[in-house]
Amino acid sequence: MSKILLAEDDNDMRRFLVKALQNAGHEVVSFDNGLSAYNRLREEPFELLLTDIVMPEMDGIELARRATELDPDIKVMFITGFAAVALNPDSEAPKDAKVLSKPFHLRELVSEVEKLLAA
């Protein structure tokens, strides 16, 4: 079972993602903003950071950048409706981060998470 930290400001989306990932056997800790998620990352290690890009207090790109400073081995996946932002080379997003564009099916999310964790 992998430990996943989820940062997603949309309450319904966050609930669906947590349920899908828990049903797939993962332990999920979730937050509705990047700053709270970052503070948790400073307390304990996670295998994967799954984060929206556009969020209050700290956006997903900044969260991912700081997360990889804390733990260079953490895997990062962005879930966003703004894929071009994450893929912009000037964004300072981690270079090997995966981007999953909304809308997506929960099965697709679980499959992509498992591929990334296995890599």
Side-chain angles (χ1 to χ4, degrees):
M1 175 170 23
S2 296
K3 281 178 56 176
I4 298 172
L5 182 66
L6 170 64
E8 166 61 69
D9 62 330
D10 180 292
N11 292 330
D12 291 333
M13 174 69 84
R14 190 173 61 255
R15 245 189 328 272
F16 284 125
L17 296 176
V18 167
K19 187 171 173 96
L21 292 165
Q22 286 175 337
N23 287 345
H26 301 288
E27 180 184 337
V28 184
V29 177
S30 67
F31 292 93
D32 64 359
N33 68 77
L35 185 58
S36 296
Y38 175 68
N39 288 333
R40 184 61 177 267
L41 275 170
R42 292 172 51 189
E43 296 171 5
E44 67 179 293
F46 288 84
E47 280 88 6
L48 173 67
L49 170 63
L50 182 60
T51 182
D52 192 4
I53 290 180
V54 180
M55 290 185 298
E57 298 188 50
M58 181 188 296
D59 69 34
I61 292 173
E62 179 68 11
L63 172 59
R65 192 182 62 71
R66 291 187 183 191
T68 56
E69 285 175 0
L70 286 173
D71 179 2
D73 295 328
I74 194 169
K75 297 195 180 346
V76 176
M77 182 183 293
F78 294 111
I79 44 175
T80 185
F82 304 98
V85 175
L87 299 174
N88 178 343
D90 300 329
S91 70
E92 296 184 27
K95 300 296 176 240
D96 52 356
K98 171 89 176 122
V99 178
L100 190 60
S101 296
K102 296 175 186 174
F104 52 80
H105 194 284
L106 292 176
R107 278 193 305 261
E108 180 185 6
L109 168 79
V110 170
S111 171
E112 290 300 324
V113 161
E114 291 181 350
K115 275 192 238 172
L116 187 59
L117 287 168

